[in-house]
Amino acid sequence: MCGRIFVRTSLEELISNFPFAVKGGDIDGLGNRFPRWNGAPSQDYPIIVRDIVREPDTSGPIFAAARWGLMPSWAKPGGRPLVNVRCETVASNGMFRAAYRSRRGLVPINGFFEWKDIFGTGKNKQPYAIAMKDGSAFALAGIWETWKDENGVSIRNFAILTCEPNEMMATIHDRMPVILCRDDYERWLSPEPDPNDLMKPFPAELMVMWKIGRDVGSPKNDRPDLIDEVEDDSEPTLI
């Protein structure tokens, strides 16, 4: 799974790493929320979608604000948003099928967190930070919806797709987020209904992971030292 992410730059710097996408008008309101060192579900993020970039009908990649946690348009208030969706079922499950076919998106980040269940008890877990070996920003594969709350306010929202782990990730977890290669961004955002071959483990040799402290377990903690490397944690995170 993928339930926490981090963005170590300003919003403007993050956007500059994806120059093929124009900046949507609702993005400016996110500017004071970045860097974000411990991003969690229910928070708003800049994602890249295919939408109208110039009236009346010119579409293309555009940055848009979206809330992490997928709620289909027909979902009733009070439902539990989905943080992750398995790539193996996204094309066939009726809850996600329409979004996968026509509302795919990119989730730009600098890295994400995962927890290793050290003793197999589900309680004692060692947190890790995972990023690109060269430190570059990258994009996770997502799907998005637009849902109206009880006041009739439209909220764009998204979930992150997960797949089998690569060799590195398999040492700490049995899933990982779908990370897309830059050459595949355009195709993922295209009208193609089922680009299923893109949903695969990202090459382990291009990634790096390191142990971090247990303070990352609480999303209330949001500071740069959360991603500092630590030695073996004598008191693993209880989550």
Side-chain angles (χ1 to χ4, degrees):
M1 61 178 294
C2 177
R4 297 286 178 80
I5 63 176
F6 64 89
V7 175
R8 64 171 88 216
T9 68
S10 67
L11 178 62
E12 288 298 326
E13 187 174 346
L14 180 69
I15 289 174
S16 71
N17 286 287
F18 302 86
F20 60 89
V22 303
K23 184 179 176 183
D26 62 350
I27 284 295
D28 290 333
L30 300 179
N32 62 353
R33 305 182 194 184
F34 294 88
R36 180 173 281 164
W37 301 99
N38 193 7
S42 80
Q43 298 173 334
D44 293 338
Y45 298 86
I47 68 171
I48 302 172
V49 302
R50 188 174 186 85
D51 209 338
I52 299 298
V53 296
R54 187 168 63 253
E55 298 293 351
D57 57 2
T58 301
S59 64
I62 185 172
F63 271 96
R67 186 163 300 167
W68 189 2
L70 190 75
M71 290 285 283
S73 58
W74 44 263
K76 296 180 179 179
R80 185 177 180 180
L82 290 168
V83 175
N84 296 145
V85 174
R86 296 174 67 94
C87 71
E88 295 88 347
T89 58
V90 68
S92 58
N93 189 308
M95 188 172 183
F96 324 121
R97 186 169 55 232
Y100 171 65
R101 287 178 177 174
S102 59
R103 290 182 295 278
R104 296 186 298 271
L106 304 173
V107 185
I109 62 172
N110 289 116
F112 60 96
F113 303 118
E114 193 52 84
W115 282 258
K116 181 179 181 179
D117 190 352
I118 300 173
F119 303 112
T121 62
K123 296 181 179 180
N124 298 307
K125 298 183 179 182
Q126 170 63 55
Y128 286 78
I130 300 101
M132 290 295 113
K133 191 171 289 185
D134 63 3
S136 62
F138 57 100
L140 307 180
I143 55 174
W144 63 274
E145 289 274 11
T146 300
W147 176 78
K148 289 186 177 181
D149 66 12
E150 58 271 18
N151 297 315
V153 177
S154 294
I155 301 172
R156 196 191 302 260
N157 57 84
F158 70 96
I160 292 170
L161 297 179
T162 67
C163 62
E164 292 292 319
N166 60 26
E167 299 91 337
M168 183 190 78
M169 288 297 300
T171 64
I172 64 170
H173 205 274
D174 62 358
R175 303 290 292 179
M176 70 177 290
V178 175
I179 301 171
L180 295 167
C181 296
R182 286 186 174 270
D183 289 345
D184 295 326
Y185 290 171
E186 182 177 357
R187 185 177 165 211
W188 183 255
L189 294 173
S190 77
E192 181 181 343
D194 186 19
N196 63 84
D197 58 299
L198 301 184
M199 297 185 290
K200 58 189 177 183
F202 194 77
E205 62 271 18
L206 300 179
M207 301 176 67
V208 64
M209 70 178 184
W210 61 97
K211 293 179 181 179
I212 57 175
R214 62 182 182 273
D215 281 358
V216 75
S218 172
K220 294 180 180 179
N221 297 323
D222 185 23
R223 57 182 194 269
D225 67 339
L226 291 179
I227 66 171
D228 288 350
E229 186 170 6
V230 301
E231 299 298 327
D232 288 342
D233 195 343
S234 58
E235 297 182 51
T237 310
L238 300 179
I239 63 170

